[in-house]
Amino acid sequence: MKGSERIRTDVLVVGSGIAGLSFALKAARYADVLVATKKERVESNTNYAQGGVAAVFDPGDSPDLHLSDTLVAGAGLCHLRAVEELVREGPERIRELIAWGVEFTRDEDRFALGREAGHSRRRILHAADLTGREIERALLAAVAAESRIRVLEDHVVWSLQTAHDPDSQRSRCSGALVLDVHGGSWIQVDARAVVLAAGGCAYLYRHTTNPAIATGDGIAMGYAAGAAVANLEFVQFHPTALFPAESRAQLISEAVRGEGAILRRLDGSTFMEDYHPAASLAPRDIVARAIDAEMKASGDPHVLLDLSTIPAERVAERFPYIRGVCLEEGIDIPADPIPVVPAAHYQCGGLLTDWDGRTSLAGLFAAGEIACTGVHGANRLASNSLLEAVVFSHRAAQRLRRDLVELTPLAEQEVPIPKIAQAGQDSNEVEGRIRSLMWEDVGIVRSDERLESARAELDRLSESPIARDGTGPGAFRARQIEFMRDVATLIVRSAQRRRESRGLHYTQSHPYRDNERFLRDTVLVR
Ligand code: SIN
C-alpha cells in the first residue's frame, strides 16, 4: 500500500444518501464539509427507495394521527419525544427537499398521496415508484453547486480515530483513517466532528432488497470507537421482494398493496385475513411472518401478489419502474400475478443518538438508517425512514453549529497505517457463511438454539483474519467482511438479550411480549 496524506476539515460526513447529503448541505452554511463514500456518490440505499416519504399534507390528516400510527407500529419501544419531533417537523423538511429541486408526483395542484401498511391516512409523498432516485438526483445537484462541500468517491472509512480532549477531559472522535480504494493510498482526515450517515446492514442477509454496500460499516466502526448501539435485533423484512430473490432482490413496493393488490397462495386462495383484520395491508412484520409461515406449511417457494384489482392505466402511471422490472422477467402486470418472498430490508436499531443526532461518543454524530433515534421502536412504519433522515440530519446540523465552538481542533496525532495480512480466510466464503447463517438462524423466526448456533459460528469466523490481496480493492473487500462479521455478532448478541417476542423480533423460545422485563431498549457498549 502507498503512503498517507493528511486532510484537515471541520466536518467529515461518511455516506452520500439522503441523511449525509442533506446534513452536508446544511452544515456547509457554517463549516467546511468533506463527504467520503465508498462507491460512486449516487450508490446509496436512498437511491433504491421506491415507496416514498410519509408526512402530513392532507387536510384530513394530522400530526397526532401520524404519531399514533408510528407508535402502534413501534410496539411500545418508540421514544415519544423523537416521534413528536418527526411528525411535527416533517412537513417543513419536505418543503426544503422541494426547494432543493425534488419533484414529487402531483395530482393537479396537490401532492398525490399514497397509502402503505399501518398508515390510517394517505400520506406517502412519492415520485412515481422511484422516489429515492429523484431525491438523490436533486440533492447531488445541490451539493455540486456548493463550494464548501468536497466529495470523495471510492474512499472507504477504515476506522474512526479518537483522542483525549484536554478541555472536556474526555475522549472525542477526532477524524478517521480513509483508504482511497483505487489509488491504494491512505488519508488521515482530522475533523472537528464526524457524522456517520453510512446506512444500514440488510446485506448481511442472503435475501435482501438492499444493494451490496449495505454492510453496516458505520455501525461496526462507531461501536469499535466507543459509541453505544441500540435495538439491533429489530431487522425489518419486507414482505414482497420479487422471487427469486438472490443477492439484491427487486423490491415490490408496499404502495402496490396500498393501491389494492392482494396476496394469494399459489392455488389462488387468500390467506392474510387469517392473520390480521387489515389482511394484505397488515403491518409489515405480520405480513412477512404470515408469508413465511405459509411457505413453510405448503413447501411453496413463494406466494403471489395479485394486482388485477388495480386498473391497468393506474398501474402504468403509478408503478412504471416495477412494471418494467416485471416485464423483463416475463410478468405482465396487472394481468399476471407477481411471485414474491420476504427479504431483509431495514435496520431499525443502530448507533444510539439523542434528539440532535449525537452519539454517546463526543464529536460523533449519526443520521439516517445507521442511527437509533427512537423513532422506529421495535418496528418501523413504512416510509418513515426518509422522513427520519431529513428531520434528524437537520437537527444534527443545527446542533453541530452550536457544538462546533467547543469542538476545537485537537493536536494532530499519528495513526498507524494498518498492517495488511495476506493470509487468512477466503472473503467470499466468509461472506457466504455470514449471509446464510443470518438468514437461517437470525431471520424472521428465531429461537434460543438458532441464535446460539449463529453466535458460535460467528465466534469461529472471528478466530482468524480475512485474507487480503494487498491492493486497495482487495483490502477494502476484506475490511468490509470484517465489518459484516462484527455487526452480525452485535445483532445476535442483541437478539439473545431480548427473551421475548416484540415487533420485528420473533422467537419461538419466548413467543410472547414481556412488558415487565423488556419494555426497554437493548443497548450495547464496547
Ligand atoms: C416500499 O416501497 O415498500 C418501501 C417503503 C419503506 O420501506 O418504507
Side-chain angles (χ1 to χ4, degrees):
M1 304 290 274
K2 300 179 194 153
S4 67
E5 98 180 78
R6 191 151 210 146
I7 297 180
R8 200 172 255 291
T9 185
D10 293 322
V11 190
L12 170 65
V13 176
V14 185
S16 59
I18 185 172
L21 296 182
S22 60
F23 178 91
L25 284 165
K26 300 263 164 97
R29 294 173 190 164
Y30 58 82
D32 288 328
V33 182
L34 182 69
V35 177
T37 181
K38 65 182 178 179
K39 293 277 182 188
E40 316 86 81
R41 62 192 74 196
V42 73
E43 183 64 353
S44 65
N45 236 347
T46 301
N47 203 38
Y48 295 90
Q50 292 181 5
V53 195
V56 172
F57 276 91
D58 187 272
D61 197 0
S62 74
D64 283 347
L65 282 173
H66 191 182
L67 179 118
S68 76
D69 291 346
T70 302
L71 296 183
V72 169
L77 287 193
C78 296
H79 296 194
L80 183 61
R81 161 99 190 264
V83 184
E84 282 171 349
E85 307 293 356
L86 178 87
V87 299
R88 289 188 213 295
E89 284 191 25
E92 202 181 324
R93 301 285 80 79
I94 299 282
R95 281 189 273 274
E96 269 172 359
L97 284 178
I98 294 165
W100 276 322
V102 177
E103 292 189 21
F104 291 111
T105 303
R106 285 178 177 266
D107 203 353
E108 298 182 353
D109 58 339
R110 294 179 168 195
F111 293 120
L113 299 173
R115 176 116 192 254
E116 289 181 359
H119 289 276
S120 56
R121 294 288 185 278
R122 283 192 167 263
R123 64 167 74 99
I124 317 299
L125 291 106
H126 53 273
D129 54 357
L130 284 171
T131 312
R133 194 177 291 183
E134 169 59 11
I135 291 174
E136 195 68 17
R137 177 201 65 72
L139 292 182
L140 283 173
V143 162
E146 185 50 73
S147 62
R148 293 191 83 180
I149 303 177
R150 179 177 169 201
V151 181
L152 295 177
E153 296 181 312
D154 297 310
H155 280 65
V156 61
V157 176
W158 195 269
S159 58
L160 297 175
Q161 73 199 33
T162 54
H164 179 73
D165 180 353
D167 293 335
S168 65
Q169 289 295 320
R170 58 184 180 166
S171 174
R172 207 176 103 185
C173 183
S174 56
L177 185 64
V178 175
L179 174 67
D180 170 356
V181 176
H182 295 306
S185 60
W186 295 96
I187 304 174
Q188 170 109 39
V189 178
D190 296 309
R192 292 162 71 186
V194 175
V195 181
L196 289 175
C201 56
Y203 191 75
L204 262 56
Y205 286 82
R206 194 198 304 146
H207 304 300
T208 176
T209 60
N210 286 202
I213 51 166
T215 45
D217 310 8
I219 297 173
M221 71 180 84
Y223 177 80
V229 293
N231 292 355
L232 290 175
E233 66 273 33
F234 298 117
V235 176
Q236 188 168 67
F237 292 82
H238 197 290
T240 57
L242 179 63
F243 174 85
E246 290 311 322
S247 199
R248 187 180 87 76
Q250 282 292 346
L251 177 69
I252 306 297
S253 175
E254 196 156 290
V256 175
R257 277 172 288 130
E259 290 294 325
I262 293 169
L263 287 161
R264 296 186 186 278
R265 299 186 182 98
L266 298 199
D267 65 7
S269 58
T270 57
F271 56 90
M272 274 311 303
E273 60 279 7
D274 299 340
Y275 294 88
H276 194 276
S280 291
L281 213 50
R284 212 172 258 190
D285 56 327
I286 293 171
V287 183
R289 269 201 299 281
I291 295 176
D292 184 67
E294 290 290 326
M295 283 165 46
K296 281 180 180 143
S298 63
D300 292 335
H302 60 81
V303 294
L304 296 172
L305 186 62
D306 171 13
L307 284 75
S308 63
T309 46
I310 315 173
E313 319 76 71
R314 177 81 183 131
V315 169
E317 164 207 38
R318 177 70 179 87
F319 304 114
Y321 175 73
I322 293 174
R323 187 165 145 66
V325 163
C326 287
L327 274 177
E328 275 172 29
E329 301 298 317
I331 303 161
D332 188 6
I333 60 170
D336 298 338
I338 309 176
V340 289
V341 285
H345 184 58
Y346 188 86
Q347 170 57 264
C348 292
L351 290 161
L352 186 60
T353 66
D354 64 11
W355 298 302
D356 289 336
R358 290 184 293 193
T359 70
S360 61
L361 176 64
L364 182 67
F365 290 69
E369 185 173 348
I370 195 175
C372 182
T373 60
V375 157
H376 306 310
N379 184 20
R380 176 181 65 99
L381 187 65
S383 287
N384 262 356
S385 43
L386 295 175
L387 189 69
E388 182 199 35
V390 278
V391 166
F392 287 90
S393 60
H394 169 81
R395 295 183 65 86
Q398 279 190 318
R399 180 80 237 176
L400 182 60
R401 178 177 219 143
R402 299 196 290 275
D403 285 4
L404 220 43
V405 180
E406 285 164 17
L407 296 171
T408 48
L410 296 171
E412 281 185 7
Q413 41 164 342
E414 280 315 314
V415 175
I417 299 301
K419 291 201 169 41
I420 306 292
Q422 300 292 321
Q425 303 175 84
D426 179 74
S427 57
N428 291 334
E429 247 169 57
V430 177
E431 179 185 293
R433 278 313 306 144
I434 292 170
R435 298 187 74 207
S436 290
L437 75 88
M438 291 301 283
W439 182 256
E440 271 139 35
D441 296 334
V442 200
I444 298 174
V445 177
R446 303 166 177 174
S447 70
D448 284 352
E449 295 71 32
R450 286 185 191 179
L451 290 176
E452 194 43 52
S453 140
R455 176 87 175 256
E457 184 157 5
L458 287 164
D459 285 348
R460 270 196 302 280
L461 293 174
S462 301
E463 277 164 13
S464 52
I466 315 289
R468 304 152 184 197
D469 68 9
T471 66
F476 163 47
R477 167 111 184 108
R479 184 67 173 145
Q480 195 153 294
I481 307 295
E482 284 174 358
F483 286 143
M484 287 176 74
R485 186 185 60 193
D486 295 350
V487 177
T489 305
L490 290 173
I491 294 175
V492 174
R493 283 175 55 203
S494 305
Q496 285 184 311
R497 289 204 178 184
R498 187 166 291 282
R499 296 168 73 78
E500 64 154 359
S501 290
R502 179 187 300 272
L504 298 162
H505 173 69
Y506 179 78
T507 162
Q508 290 168 322
S509 306
H510 312 278
Y512 302 107
R513 211 182 267 194
D514 180 349
N515 281 338
E516 261 176 44
R517 292 193 302 155
F518 293 107
L519 193 60
R520 56 181 163 77
D521 294 331
T522 308
V523 179
L524 302 178
V525 189
R526 187 171 65 105

